[in-house]
């Protein structure tokens, strides 16, 4: 069995919002699909260990913000690599409270959905929540983020065999050493820098400010190790 076959499945990237009473939480998920259209029904698969799982179980509602392709890594990291148990992830994020009273992230969002859970399936480590739509809006035109794009382009994990990778190296003509975050696997590529944090392309890892943080998970420089 070659599990790499699974990598060929296409996904998008979403912020899932949920609530428990007045408490709100959000997390990144790539597992939203439309299940049927009459009535419009979607599903999302959530890890049982996540706070969002507890919240959706409790309130039986969830929201889906469909992220645009130009969503900054820091935004995805905020929802993806931190726990709602430690921080209020919607603090300093544009959002609104929907018809379900659950939060809907609006930053970097092309469109959103709100659903009421009508069924759930125990899938071992995860639960698949099936929800009927109660609201849906398009916010703006744009290209949605795909899981593949996020991994290959945004996180810099383009395989070294990829033609695009080889050409980039030739053009710049420098020996650029990449560093990988041991927490989230983000790869710092000196050729690209970290423009979102004001780090210009061409900045070697060694010359990053000491207080520079992983744009995805917020880990410090000492959590990084050299990539061969
Ligand atoms: Fe990281």
């Amino acid at each position: 069995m070659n599990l790499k076959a699974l990598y060929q499945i296409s996904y998008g990237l979403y912020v899932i919002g949920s609530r428990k009473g007045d408490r709100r939480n959000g997390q990144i998920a790539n597992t939203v699909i439309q299940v049927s259209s009459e009535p419009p029904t979607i599903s999302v698969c959530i890890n049982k260990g996540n706070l969002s799982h507890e919240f959706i179980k409790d309130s039986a509602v969830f929201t889906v913000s469909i992220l645009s392709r130009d969503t900054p890594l820091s935004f995805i990291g905020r929802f993806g690599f931190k726990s709602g148990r430690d921080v209020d992830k919607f603090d300093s994020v544009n959002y609104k409270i929907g018809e379900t009273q659950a939060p809907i992230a609006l930053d970097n969002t092309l469109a959103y959905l709100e659903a009421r859970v009508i069924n759930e399936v125990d899938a071992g480590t995860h639960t698949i929540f099936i929800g009927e739509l109660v609201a849906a809006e398009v916010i703006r035109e744009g290209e949605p983020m795909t899981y593949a794009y996020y991994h290959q382009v945004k996180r810099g994990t383009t395989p070294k065999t990829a033609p695009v990778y080889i050409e980039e190296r030739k053009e710049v003509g420098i020996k650029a050493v990449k560093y990988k975050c041991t927490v989230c696997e983000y790869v710092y590529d000196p050729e690209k820098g970290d423009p979102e944090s004001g780090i210009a392309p061409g900045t070697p890892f060694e010359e990053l400010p000491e207080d520079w943080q992983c744009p995805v998970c917020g880990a410090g420089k000492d959590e990084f190790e050299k990539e061969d």
Side-chain angles (χ1 to χ4, degrees):
M1 185 160 73
N2 186 352
L3 292 177
K4 283 190 175 152
L6 294 170
Y7 296 172
Q8 303 304 321
I9 301 176
S10 306
Y11 303 93
L13 208 65
Y14 313 97
V15 174
I16 307 301
S18 59
R19 68 173 168 86
K20 182 176 185 179
D22 289 341
R23 290 172 67 203
R24 60 195 179 192
N25 192 42
Q27 70 156 76
I28 295 287
N30 64 320
T31 51
V32 175
I33 60 166
Q34 180 174 356
V35 175
S36 61
S37 49
E38 279 303 328
T41 304
I42 59 174
S43 70
V44 65
C45 187
I46 302 286
N47 191 303
K48 287 178 182 174
N50 290 359
L51 189 64
S52 293
H53 188 276
E54 181 189 326
F55 280 25
I56 298 172
K57 272 266 190 193
D58 185 84
S59 61
V61 293
F62 64 91
T63 68
V64 177
S65 295
I66 300 166
L67 297 178
S68 76
R69 210 164 93 145
D70 52 20
T71 301
L73 279 174
S74 55
F75 184 82
I76 296 170
R78 169 174 200 92
F79 282 103
F81 284 94
K82 297 196 165 78
S83 171
R85 294 182 180 96
D86 307 323
V87 292
D88 178 353
K89 296 199 231 177
F90 282 96
D91 185 33
S92 81
V93 167
N94 256 320
Y95 73 99
K96 70 171 190 179
I97 297 296
E99 285 179 33
T100 57
Q101 305 303 312
I104 301 163
L106 297 177
D107 286 336
N108 308 300
T109 295
L110 298 179
Y112 70 80
L113 314 168
E114 278 191 81
R116 202 171 295 283
V117 175
I118 54 168
N119 213 334
E120 58 181 68
V121 178
D122 188 328
T125 55
H126 288 64
T127 298
I128 303 168
F129 293 102
I130 299 167
E132 203 174 298
L133 283 198
V134 298
E137 292 298 338
V138 174
I139 294 179
R140 64 175 169 95
E141 296 286 302
E143 190 89 19
M145 177 79 88
T146 64
Y147 195 56
Y149 183 84
Y150 166 65
H151 270 280
Q152 289 167 8
V153 180
K154 299 291 280 188
R155 277 178 75 172
T157 48
T158 311
K160 288 181 180 162
T161 50
V164 56
Y165 179 88
I166 293 161
E167 251 151 56
E168 271 175 16
R169 289 291 275 254
K170 250 192 244 155
E171 243 169 61
V172 180
I174 52 167
K175 185 167 168 9
V177 182
K178 296 184 181 184
Y179 279 74
K180 188 189 218 167
C181 176
T182 55
V183 177
C184 74
E185 298 195 326
Y186 162 83
V187 175
Y188 177 78
D189 182 348
E191 286 172 14
K192 291 182 183 150
D194 177 15
E196 284 171 19
S197 309
I199 306 295
T203 308
F205 182 83
E206 294 76 9
E207 288 174 21
L208 291 171
E210 278 318 304
D211 60 355
W212 178 83
Q213 292 181 333
C214 172
V216 176
C217 73
K221 277 182 81 175
D222 49 357
E223 304 280 0
F224 278 70
E225 60 186 28
K226 219 181 247 184
E227 276 219 311
D228 333 295

